[in-house]
Amino acid sequence: MTDLATMRESALTRIEEAQDAAALESLRVELLGKQGSISGLMKTLGKMSPEERQSEAPKIQGLRSDVADAIAAKKDALDAAELERRLASETLDLTLPAPQAPKGSVHPVSQVMDELAEIFADLGFSVATGPEIEDDWHNFTALNMAETHPARAMHDTFYFPDVDSEGRRMLLRTHTSPVQIRSMVKQGAPIRIIAPGRVYRSDSDATHTPMFHQVEGLVIDKDINLGHLKWTLETFLKAFFERDDIVLRLRPSYFPFTEPSVEVDVGWQDVNGRRVLGGDGDAPGHGWMELLGSGMVNRRVIEFAGLDPDEWQGFAFGVGVDRLAMLKYGMDDLRAFFDGDQRWLDHYGFSPFDQPTLSAGVGASA
């Protein structure tokens, strides 16, 4: 039988002399690994007679325990020595800022929605919402859109196979105008609302997507005229783009839900390859850009809402929220708004702490 006392003394001496963790691990494998010398002794117990096993097993088990304990103690001592060495040699500058943790950002569409709500709240408007799945009466008929109007066609509008309890076809709303009808029916007049939200049309290219965001405004009161409309739009656009030189041009147009109807153009100029709104569009180096549609609410629409058009008049307007974001913050492709590209969001997103206020300026640094 191997001299266990000699083996024990040799093993403990070598463990004590180990200079680092690597050397200690090598000793552990040599002594206690599957092919280790002490593990080999454990295997010989199976070949012994019962009498020999009863005599030798406690000695071998004791040797194995002593070596394992010595290795564990040495490992603790080496770890403590390494920690002391690192504490003595390494320094930590507690005045440095902590590493910045990943953080989310506010999407430009959400940011512009908040800016619009802030501006119009100051003008006395409230925010109204409505369902995105609409019936064709609220989406078309109540807005004076005839059965033959092109917008009702399948290639322009997303229809559902369902009908409501009154037999009206269901669809994804093509504008937020149905919110105007629902608001007038529910609360009557006078009324001042904006209706922001998602809308859907069968269209897709660099400046159009099947789903986009729109905000519409509605004012119904007594003795309302186009002058009120122009002042409201000028005040809104000057606050939104944070420029006092916004100049508007109103052109006659046609919308079934307004009469008279006007397209609103805004003056702009090219600055370093980017369209910047501001200035008179007829001035040298400037031009006019069509921005939104508007007009006086059609008498038939007021009647559909259950109001008397001889007593109540009003104006309405609508503009794409995504387009406003593109013009203000410099994006050039609408499709990128909905790709979910983290790099794009990191570049154009806003801090959740940059809440738009009129006192500080509704814009925020992206």
Side-chain angles (χ1 to χ4, degrees), residues 158-203:
F158 295 106
Y159 283 93
F160 292 98
D162 314 81
V163 295
D164 67 5
S165 59
E166 299 180 32
R168 298 180 296 201
R169 300 182 68 185
M170 304 302 293
L171 49 86
L172 290 174
R173 66 183 183 187
T174 59
H175 43 196
T176 58
S177 301
V179 179
Q180 299 181 23
I181 300 296
R182 292 180 178 275
S183 297
M184 284 191 285
V185 170
K186 182 177 180 180
Q187 65 188 82
I191 187 173
R192 290 187 189 182
I193 62 166
I194 59 169
R198 284 185 290 265
V199 297
Y200 306 85
R201 297 178 189 174
S202 184
D203 201 358

Side-chain angles (χ1 to χ4, degrees), residues 53-293:
R53 189 180 306 118
Q54 185 176 7
S55 172
E56 298 298 328
K59 300 176 183 177
I60 297 174
Q61 288 284 10
L63 172 62
R64 184 177 184 279
S65 296
D66 290 345
V67 170
D69 291 344
I71 290 175
K74 184 63 176 180
K75 183 177 184 304
D76 290 342
L78 290 173
D79 289 345
E82 175 64 15
L83 178 60
E84 290 293 334
R85 183 193 66 77
R86 291 181 59 190
L87 290 174
S89 61
E90 296 179 7
T91 58
L92 176 64
D93 188 348
L94 297 179
T95 65
L96 290 174
Q100 189 171 15
K103 62 181 181 180
S105 60
V106 175
H107 194 282
V109 169
S110 299
Q111 176 72 19
V112 170
M113 290 276 204
D114 289 343
E115 293 177 16
L116 296 175
E118 179 72 16
I119 292 169
F120 281 103
D122 191 61
L123 296 176
F125 287 69
S126 59
V127 176
T129 60
E132 295 179 20
I133 298 178
E134 264 293 2
D135 59 73
D136 62 355
W137 187 86
H138 285 94
N139 197 80
F140 294 126
T141 305
L143 293 164
N144 197 38
M145 301 177 75
E147 293 290 337
T148 56
H149 194 282
R152 289 182 179 254
M154 295 286 290
H155 60 76
D156 280 337
T157 300
F158 295 106
Y159 283 93
F160 292 98
D162 314 81
V163 295
D164 67 5
S165 59
E166 299 180 32
R168 298 180 296 201
R169 300 182 68 185
M170 304 302 293
L171 49 86
L172 290 174
R173 66 183 183 187
T174 59
H175 43 196
T176 58
S177 301
V179 179
Q180 299 181 23
I181 300 296
R182 292 180 178 275
S183 297
M184 284 191 285
V185 170
K186 182 177 180 180
Q187 65 188 82
I191 187 173
R192 290 187 189 182
I193 62 166
I194 59 169
R198 284 185 290 265
V199 297
Y200 306 85
R201 297 178 189 174
S202 184
D203 201 358
S204 182
D205 56 41
T207 57
H208 300 83
T209 54
M211 185 280 293
F212 59 100
H213 298 82
Q214 188 180 58
V215 61
E216 297 192 9
L218 173 70
V219 170
I220 299 292
D221 210 326
K222 296 180 179 180
D223 302 320
I224 297 296
N225 57 56
L226 275 175
H228 297 123
L229 168 63
K230 185 177 181 182
W231 179 88
T232 299
L233 294 178
E234 283 184 338
T235 302
F236 151 54
L237 293 173
K238 287 178 179 179
F240 179 76
F241 289 106
E242 301 181 75
R243 297 181 65 106
D244 292 328
D245 61 347
I246 296 292
V247 179
L248 302 185
R249 181 180 70 177
L250 274 58
R251 289 183 291 107
S253 186
Y254 169 76
F255 303 109
F257 32 81
T258 53
E259 180 61 37
S261 303
V262 291
E263 297 277 5
V264 179
D265 302 333
V266 61
W268 67 279
Q269 61 179 319
D270 188 294
V271 178
N272 298 324
R274 176 183 170 188
R275 287 187 174 188
V276 176
L277 301 192
D280 190 330
D282 292 326
H286 289 65
W288 293 105
M289 178 194 304
E290 179 184 319
L291 184 60
L292 56 89

Side-chain angles (χ1 to χ4, degrees), residues 29-50:
V29 172
E30 178 185 337
L31 297 171
L32 302 177
K34 288 185 177 181
Q35 305 300 321
S37 56
I38 296 177
S39 299
L41 290 177
M42 297 292 294
K43 295 176 182 178
T44 62
L45 292 175
K47 302 177 181 179
M48 296 180 182
S49 65

